[in-house]
Amino acid sequence: MTASHSDSLVVLFGATAGAYGAKLGSDERELILLVWQVVDLQNKKVGTLHKSLVKADNLDLSDQCREVSGLTPEGLGKAEPLDRVLQQFSQLVSSDLKVLGRSSYTLCSDGQLLIRQVLHPETSKKNFLLSDCFYSFYDLRKEFHTCYPSSAAVKDQTIKSMAEYLGLGTDEAEEDFGVWQVKTMVAIIFSMLSEDHIFAEPETVKHKYETGPCSKSETVDSETVIRARGLPWQSSDQDIARFFKGLNIAKGGVALCLNSQGRRNGEALVRFVNSEQRDLALERHKHHMGSRYIEVYKATGEEFLKIAGGTSNEVAQFLSKENQVIIRMRGLPFTATQEDVLGFLGPECPVTGGKEGLLFVKYPDGRPTGDAFVLFSCEEYAQNALKKHKEILGKRYIELFRSTAAEVQQVLNRYMSTPLIPTLPTPIIPVIPPPYTIATGSVRDCVRLRGLPYTAGIDDILEFMGDATGDIKPHGVHMVLNQQGRPSGDAFIQMKSADKAFMVAQKCHKKMMKDRYVEVFQCSGEEMNFVLMGGTLNRSGLSPPPCKLPCLSPPAYAAFQTAAVIPAEAAALYQPQALLPSTRTPQASAAAPPTVTYYPAQAAQLYMNYTAYYPSPPVSPTTVGYIAAPPGAVAAAATATHTPILPQPGALVRMQGLPYNTGMKEILSFFQGYQYAPDDYNGLIQLSDQARSVLQAPKEWVCL
């Protein structure tokens, strides 16, 4: 039994097969030792000291563990597993309490790592429950600092330093590992009791994660937020809370991040109750969730509110029912009603509050999006609902997923802020291409870096290059991004000569950057261009990008001369926007006109040395629209080059997912109420099979 003001303490010490001291539990190694002793606070008596070895699944001990503990795999192989050791712990503690005439107790450990970072995570992974006594404990270091304010800071305390502060003459070498620690902790407690210290406010561990809404008006401390990356796409807020078992997450503090399509992107922002809990969470960097390791980084309160915060009264009312399981339904027919959804779910999974437990997601004009959120009062009902994943409602199959309050806010915020017809960016200005262009040809004056850490930036690459940095051409570092716009782990560097490139490849190949080795290969400008444009370069040879295939043509851009208004360095950050390509004729290929690229006005504020971003591989243009050149400039360019160029009105909209029997009449009806291209409807252009292969999309129309 435990109580808020216990009459006894159980002094507890433990060790794992890995790191010891301040890094205990940071390497996910299993518990191999528990030592404990009951202390009667009123009579200042102690019970029997118990030491128990624990048989771990992996008996491979670290060098530090062998040196400090003196334990061997052979000795641990004869021990009991953790669940049985914990049963013995409860039985022996109860027996000692009876002998001392006491009824309640609270654990007391040296710091928080043993309870929060070892016992709770390990038992959670092994799927057995800890008894209630492990959800409340005293941190001896904090209690000691409270009793002796002039002692060292809590984070710098150790059992040895506390004993030295009190002048306790104990010799660590005279006792077995673990036994000395517990005896010394007991002596420290008796010294504190002689100073009339009262153990009154224990540390607590939350039994379960509490869901709840978050308002954008809240203040979130940036020192309490982390970003978890690499999560399985189907993971829920409860799965994330289980990953951080032992740490106290704030109410509604798990926010799963969505990508631009409204699907989970494998990241989550997690808010803890204080900075101490956040710092412990950072120690779980690259711990495992199933077979995947999860990266844990610092984040800000502003990022958390952007994902989890909401302002809708409708959402706040929907989420006001606490401790509900939220299920997201996707793919509903646009004509589906509340009765249809309740009938689809059936009596085996009743919705909390009936129709009040349903929230349909709609566009600003009231049109349904096909998404809905449903509340269930218990896990059993939610599991029954998830069994209906991909069952048919009407003529469509319905997807069902676990969801969170933060995901509800994100989805509603995303759809409610979506304009009916996307608008163009701010006014566009022409810019002459920068003087530094990417070299082409077969001269092998470039190097390719492969296997870069995903967090590596330009400064990291320059530091990695060392003395060879001076041999890099201006604007010669090119980061390769993947289809999602994130670093792919590759980069190309243009050197001043082939000899310099050879020397760099020899010197830096398999050199370490952060915690990864990086491969460095010499290559030519032509090979670099192929990869930057979407091709591949590997042991099998060179595969050209889609725009270099014989049947396709690269994009052509309108050209006209004007003074540059953006620094050339900033222009290197942007790629030309995707105007529709016109078919390249042999004559046009022979004498290609100089091109002019258009950049948003905000680009004038950007500057970065030695970098230009090139997405790889190229992707289809987005449905937001295309950045159009000034009409007069396009007309002048068309006259000068005699190349057919599409007219450029205010915006272009590409339509995807059209039925194959869609005609012009249906499209015009869809855009009824909006102004489209001239009266002859030449603005509707059906994409050819050749162009469609570039865009990698089904039958589409482009509206001008």
Side-chain angles (χ1 to χ4, degrees), residues 4 9 41 152 154-155 235 395 419 456 548 610 692:
S4 57
L9 295 180
L41 295 178
V154 173
K155 64 178 181 179
S235 58
K395 295 182 179 180
K548 295 291 184 181
Y610 300 108
R692 191 177 306 124

Side-chain angles (χ1 to χ4, degrees), residues 428-442:
I428 321 159
I429 48 180
V431 178
I432 295 178
Y436 304 106
T437 58
I438 298 178
T440 59
S442 58

Side-chain angles (χ1 to χ4, degrees), residues 304-331:
F304 182 83
L305 286 177
K306 184 177 179 181
I307 297 298
T311 56
S312 170
N313 292 331
E314 183 182 13
V315 176
Q317 183 177 357
F318 176 75
L319 297 175
S320 62
K321 301 178 179 66
E322 298 182 358
N323 299 321
Q324 300 289 310
V325 183
I326 305 174
I327 298 295
R328 180 180 179 182
M329 303 180 70
R330 193 165 62 197

Side-chain angles (χ1 to χ4, degrees), residues 381-446:
Y381 295 158
Q383 288 291 345
N384 291 338
L386 291 172
K387 293 177 183 178
K388 297 180 179 292
H389 180 60
K390 291 196 174 182
E391 288 190 8
I392 303 297
L393 174 59
K395 295 182 179 180
R396 306 188 63 173
Y397 71 85
I398 310 301
E399 298 174 292
L400 289 94
F401 309 96
R402 286 182 173 275
S403 188
T404 67
E407 185 172 4
V408 176
Q409 298 281 22
Q410 279 186 87
V411 173
L412 266 293
N413 290 344
R414 185 184 305 276
Y415 281 114
M416 292 305 293
S417 61
T418 302
L420 300 180
I421 295 238
T423 56
L424 281 174
T426 54
I428 321 159
I429 48 180
V431 178
I432 295 178
Y436 304 106
T437 58
I438 298 178
T440 59
S442 58
V443 178
R444 299 175 65 80
D445 58 352
C446 303

Side-chain angles (χ1 to χ4, degrees), residues 338-617:
Q338 293 177 325
E339 289 77 9
D340 294 332
V341 173
L342 293 174
F344 172 81
L345 294 171
E348 63 273 18
C349 38
V351 177
T352 302
K355 295 181 180 180
E356 293 181 0
L358 294 176
L359 178 64
F360 285 91
V361 183
K362 299 179 181 180
Y363 288 107
D365 62 353
R367 290 183 296 118
T369 64
D371 280 27
F373 292 93
V374 190
L375 295 178
F376 295 99
S377 59
C378 65
E379 186 66 30
E380 179 185 356
Y381 295 158
Q383 288 291 345
N384 291 338
L386 291 172
K387 293 177 183 178
K388 297 180 179 292
H389 180 60
K390 291 196 174 182
E391 288 190 8
I392 303 297
L393 174 59
K395 295 182 179 180
R396 306 188 63 173
Y397 71 85
I398 310 301
E399 298 174 292
L400 289 94
F401 309 96
R402 286 182 173 275
S403 188
T404 67
E407 185 172 4
V408 176
Q409 298 281 22
Q410 279 186 87
V411 173
L412 266 293
N413 290 344
R414 185 184 305 276
Y415 281 114
M416 292 305 293
S417 61
T418 302
L420 300 180
I421 295 238
T423 56
L424 281 174
T426 54
I428 321 159
I429 48 180
V431 178
I432 295 178
Y436 304 106
T437 58
I438 298 178
T440 59
S442 58
V443 178
R444 299 175 65 80
D445 58 352
C446 303
V447 291
R448 178 184 185 183
L449 276 59
R450 188 170 67 187
L452 293 168
Y454 294 128
T455 57
I458 299 301
D459 292 338
D460 298 313
I461 292 177
L462 296 180
E463 183 180 354
F464 173 82
M465 298 286 288
D467 296 337
T469 301
D471 299 321
I472 300 175
K473 288 184 179 180
H475 303 274
V477 179
H478 308 282
M479 303 289 290
V480 182
L481 305 185
N482 62 19
Q483 194 167 0
Q484 287 73 42
R486 295 178 181 168
S488 65
D490 280 21
F492 285 92
I493 301 176
Q494 292 177 262
M495 308 302 294
K496 291 181 178 179
S497 67
D499 292 338
K500 300 294 184 184
F502 175 79
M503 294 298 295
V504 169
Q506 293 293 317
K507 180 180 178 181
C508 298
H509 184 57
K510 292 195 175 181
K511 180 179 172 182
M512 298 299 293
M513 181 186 293
K514 298 183 179 179
D515 57 346
R516 301 185 64 171
Y517 72 84
V518 179
E519 299 175 291
V520 183
F521 307 100
Q522 188 179 8
C523 66
S524 67
E526 181 181 12
E527 293 170 332
M528 178 180 69
N529 266 323
F530 268 64
V531 175
L532 293 179
M533 292 299 293
T536 56
L537 177 63
N538 50 40
R539 294 186 179 90
S540 304
L542 191 63
S543 300
C547 63
K548 295 291 184 181
L549 295 176
C551 62
L552 301 178
S553 302
Y557 301 94
F560 63 93
Q561 297 299 322
T562 184
V565 293
I566 295 180
E569 294 86 347
L573 290 171
Y574 292 87
Q575 277 292 284
Q577 297 293 335
L579 299 175
L580 278 177
S582 56
T583 306
R584 182 173 61 179
T585 62
Q587 294 81 357
S589 302
T595 61
V596 171
T597 308
Y598 295 93
Y599 302 99
Q602 300 94 317
Q605 306 299 323
L606 300 177
Y607 178 84
M608 185 180 292
N609 286 324
Y610 300 108
T611 182
Y613 285 92
Y614 291 85
S616 175

Side-chain angles (χ1 to χ4, degrees), residues 147-344:
C147 184
Y148 304 100
S150 61
S151 63
V154 173
K155 64 178 181 179
D156 298 325
Q157 298 278 18
T158 63
I159 296 176
K160 187 174 183 180
S161 68
M162 289 187 287
E164 290 176 349
Y165 183 88
L166 296 174
L168 300 178
T170 57
D171 187 359
E172 187 174 358
E174 293 181 359
E175 303 284 357
D176 290 341
F177 178 71
V179 174
W180 177 85
Q181 283 80 358
V182 170
K183 286 185 175 181
T184 305
M185 290 168 69
V186 171
I188 293 171
I189 291 172
F190 283 153
S191 296
M192 294 167 62
L193 292 176
S194 66
E195 299 288 340
D196 296 327
H197 179 75
I198 299 176
F199 291 84
E201 298 182 3
E203 300 286 321
T204 59
V205 180
K206 288 188 176 182
H207 282 75
K208 60 182 294 186
Y209 166 67
E210 297 177 279
T211 61
C214 175
S215 171
K216 285 188 180 293
S217 60
E218 287 188 36
T219 300
V220 177
D221 184 0
S222 292
E223 296 300 314
T224 63
V225 183
I226 62 95
R227 179 183 293 273
R229 181 178 296 165
L231 299 166
W233 67 268
Q234 71 273 29
S235 58
S236 67
D237 54 351
Q238 298 295 338
D239 296 322
I240 296 170
R242 185 176 181 182
F243 175 80
F244 289 108
K245 184 69 173 177
L247 306 180
N248 293 338
I249 299 175
K251 183 177 179 179
V254 177
L256 294 165
C257 301
L258 307 181
N259 60 20
S260 57
Q261 286 76 43
R263 299 175 184 270
R264 296 173 187 170
N265 63 4
E267 294 187 5
L269 292 170
V270 185
R271 176 187 178 190
F272 294 90
V273 294
N274 54 43
S275 59
E276 182 183 30
Q277 304 288 307
R278 193 282 304 267
D279 292 340
L280 291 175
L282 291 172
E283 292 295 326
R284 300 197 187 184
H285 179 59
K286 292 194 174 180
H287 282 204
H288 288 76
M289 181 183 288
S291 60
R292 299 175 65 105
Y293 73 82
I294 309 301
E295 299 173 283
V296 182
Y297 303 100
K298 291 182 180 180
T300 66
E302 189 175 310
E303 290 176 306
F304 182 83
L305 286 177
K306 184 177 179 181
I307 297 298
T311 56
S312 170
N313 292 331
E314 183 182 13
V315 176
Q317 183 177 357
F318 176 75
L319 297 175
S320 62
K321 301 178 179 66
E322 298 182 358
N323 299 321
Q324 300 289 310
V325 183
I326 305 174
I327 298 295
R328 180 180 179 182
M329 303 180 70
R330 193 165 62 197
L332 291 168
F334 294 146
T335 58
T337 63
Q338 293 177 325
E339 289 77 9
D340 294 332
V341 173
L342 293 174
F344 172 81

